[in-house]
Amino acid sequence: MVDVFAVADIIVKHIKTHYPQDVAIVGYYGSYLQGRATERSDLDFFFIPATPRGKQVELQFIIDGISFDFWPIGWDRAERMSTSEDWSTTIIADCELMYVRSEEDLAKFMKLRETISSMGAPSNTLTLINRAEVVMRDCFTGLMKFRLAGESMDLPFCRILAQEMAANIFRSLALLNQTYYTRMYGHYREQVRNLPIKPDQLDFYLDTMMFSHSQDEIKSACEKLALDTLHLISERRNRLKGLRSYPNWMKGYYEEEKGMLNKLLTACEKGHYETAFFVATGVQDGLARILYAAEKGRWPGIFDLGEYREYYHRFSYPDLTALLDPEDFEPLRIAVLQLIEQLENHLRSEGVSMNQFDSVEDFETFYVSRL
């Protein structure tokens, strides 16, 4: 059996002799650290370069049939791991350090661990919910591949897509539960069982995805598991209590959007339907989203199916998209003017200040007095 730590010692000694200022951190993680190593296990080890020259110590090699991958993690990626943007969080959280260049490097590394330790804080909940939802987009890409392939998809590729979707769902569930996995490759399910938020039929769907010989059954299980996970994300988001604040969300919004409203008025006056189509739909949707954010204290989710328009309709803003008509632009033009007046009054009533001036002289008086 290869003495993997003797191999690591050779590398660390080489770094100390030839790259003492070029490598900040060397660490190991995985089966040897967790006491699960077998005779075929490699040593999972990495380094953080301190300079471009430090990257030269990277090496992949095999000794007596055992593979080794001494690979670099830049500080920027290590930071993403600590915030779960990169889901290899356990590497930073649980590794054992074998070499540290300086006290400053150690302090920087331990700061990353502090970030990880605060993952479960309420202040991180919305951020991690949003990331869980972003991960789910890849699942729906997989579902689209199922549909595009149709009857031509063979079982091997079907299983490849199922594996990709399962991995993304596991990742999404970890983020939703504000935690990370310490083991991978076949050990996700045992960790998910301990999570408080998970799909009720997770095991059934996973078994179908892994063991079924029917492409239709696998596809159906993938779709149902993705939808169940998405439902959990939506439920978790809806339980959050955000701070209602128009000044926080809509300061400067009207001044910027006024340019698009003017563009829409011009399109109506000139009868340019394509411009009117894109600007009207964009203005209406953008206003609906930011009204939702001002009321709820958060943006609508990626997979929101139009529920965010609730406040746009509740406040009786004009439906610009319904008035799009290449033969008659006047109703749309009148509605835009109505929206402008209504929005200004609405923002004033909510305490949102707007920088509007009647002349260049008025603007100059305002601007030069800013300190």
Side-chain angles (χ1 to χ4, degrees):
M1 187 171 178
V2 176
D3 185 345
V4 297
F5 289 104
V7 175
D9 284 342
I10 292 170
I11 292 175
V12 170
K13 288 177 182 177
H14 184 71
I15 289 171
K16 289 179 178 179
T17 302
H18 300 285
Y19 298 88
Q21 297 304 315
D22 301 298
V23 174
I25 297 285
V26 176
Y28 77 98
Y29 59 98
S31 60
Y32 273 97
L33 184 61
Q34 297 170 355
R36 300 180 290 98
T38 69
E39 61 182 14
R40 291 192 178 91
S41 294
D42 60 341
L43 180 65
D44 299 304
F45 56 169
F46 71 95
F47 66 97
I48 299 179
T51 69
R53 183 174 181 270
K55 296 178 182 179
Q56 295 176 10
V57 302
E58 176 184 3
L59 189 65
Q60 294 76 38
F61 54 97
I62 298 172
I63 300 177
D64 194 21
I66 303 300
S67 66
F68 291 82
D69 181 8
F70 187 52
W71 62 293
I73 300 176
W75 279 115
D76 56 344
R77 185 177 180 187
E79 289 173 4
R80 292 197 301 274
M81 289 177 177
S82 73
T83 59
S84 294
E85 293 176 70
D86 183 313
W87 75 321
S88 301
T89 304
T90 184
I91 294 176
I92 303 301
D94 305 311
C95 73
E96 186 77 22
L97 299 183
M98 308 174 81
Y99 170 78
V100 179
R101 182 184 62 162
S102 66
E103 289 297 323
E104 290 76 11
D105 291 322
L106 179 60
K108 187 174 182 179
F109 188 84
M110 297 309 292
K111 188 70 175 177
L112 299 180
R113 285 189 167 174
E114 288 180 20
T115 299
I116 296 170
S117 67
S118 66
M119 182 184 298
S123 59
N124 290 323
T125 299
L126 180 57
T127 297
L128 294 177
I129 289 174
N130 289 338
R131 287 182 186 156
E133 194 173 48
V134 168
V135 170
M136 290 302 296
R137 287 191 301 196
D138 290 335
C139 289
F140 283 85
T141 299
L143 292 177
M144 182 57 66
K145 289 181 180 180
F146 274 119
R147 292 182 181 275
L148 291 174
E151 298 297 325
S152 66
M153 178 174 289
D154 57 31
L155 182 60
F157 189 61
C158 186
R159 285 177 169 169
I160 288 171
L161 289 181
Q163 183 272 340
E164 290 176 353
M165 290 192 63
N168 281 317
I169 286 169
F170 283 134
R171 181 184 179 190
S172 184
L173 290 173
L175 292 166
L176 187 60
N177 285 274
Q178 295 182 245
T179 189
Y180 64 91
Y181 300 119
T182 58
R183 298 184 68 183
M184 302 181 185
Y185 302 120
H187 298 282
Y188 294 119
R189 196 191 315 209
E190 63 198 50
Q191 297 171 88
V192 171
R193 288 195 182 107
N194 296 321
L195 299 179
I197 305 173
K198 56 185 178 294
D200 291 336
Q201 299 190 67
L202 176 69
D203 284 329
F204 173 76
Y205 292 140
L206 287 174
D207 285 343
T208 302
M209 292 159 69
M210 290 190 294
F211 299 116
S212 176
H213 289 266
S214 166
Q215 288 95 316
D216 288 340
E217 288 182 358
I218 294 172
K219 172 186 171 183
S220 177
C222 288
E223 184 171 315
K224 290 176 180 177
L225 183 55
L227 290 174
D228 284 357
T229 304
L230 195 61
H231 180 67
L232 291 175
I233 293 172
S234 178
E235 282 187 337
R236 184 78 177 92
R237 182 193 299 278
N238 290 336
R239 288 201 301 269
L240 294 179
K241 300 296 182 183
L243 177 64
R244 181 185 184 277
S245 175
Y246 276 74
N248 286 350
W249 286 93
M250 300 193 73
K251 180 182 179 182
Y253 165 79
Y254 177 69
E255 293 90 326
E256 181 179 352
E257 198 68 357
K258 187 62 161 61
M260 298 304 292
L261 292 165
N262 286 340
K263 188 184 294 292
L264 182 52
L265 287 172
T266 301
C268 290
E269 292 164 359
K270 293 187 175 182
H272 198 289
Y273 183 77
E274 187 168 332
T275 298
F277 176 87
F278 283 102
V279 177
T281 53
V283 164
Q284 181 167 322
D285 189 60
L287 178 55
R289 289 176 182 276
I290 201 166
L291 286 172
Y292 178 95
E295 291 284 343
K296 292 283 193 178
R298 62 179 183 274
W299 290 109
I302 296 172
F303 294 98
D304 188 307
L305 299 178
E307 290 88 350
Y308 63 87
R309 298 175 298 169
E310 169 192 356
Y311 295 102
Y312 190 95
H313 296 313
R314 180 183 298 183
F315 297 129
S316 299
Y317 279 98
D319 190 342
L320 304 182
T321 58
L323 296 173
L324 284 164
D325 183 350
E327 303 299 326
D328 185 5
F329 289 86
E330 186 60 13
L332 177 59
R333 188 187 70 83
I334 293 172
V336 175
L337 294 174
Q338 176 190 337
L339 185 148
I340 290 172
E341 181 180 3
Q342 183 177 348
L343 180 56
E344 287 187 6
N345 291 334
H346 189 180
L347 294 179
R348 288 193 191 96
S349 71
E350 292 289 348
V352 180
S353 61
M354 290 171 283
N355 296 320
Q356 297 194 83
F357 309 96
D358 293 327
S359 67
V360 173
E361 290 75 18
D362 288 345
F363 168 74
E364 182 180 18
T365 300
F366 162 80
Y367 194 75
V368 298
S369 65
R370 299 176 73 203
L371 295 175

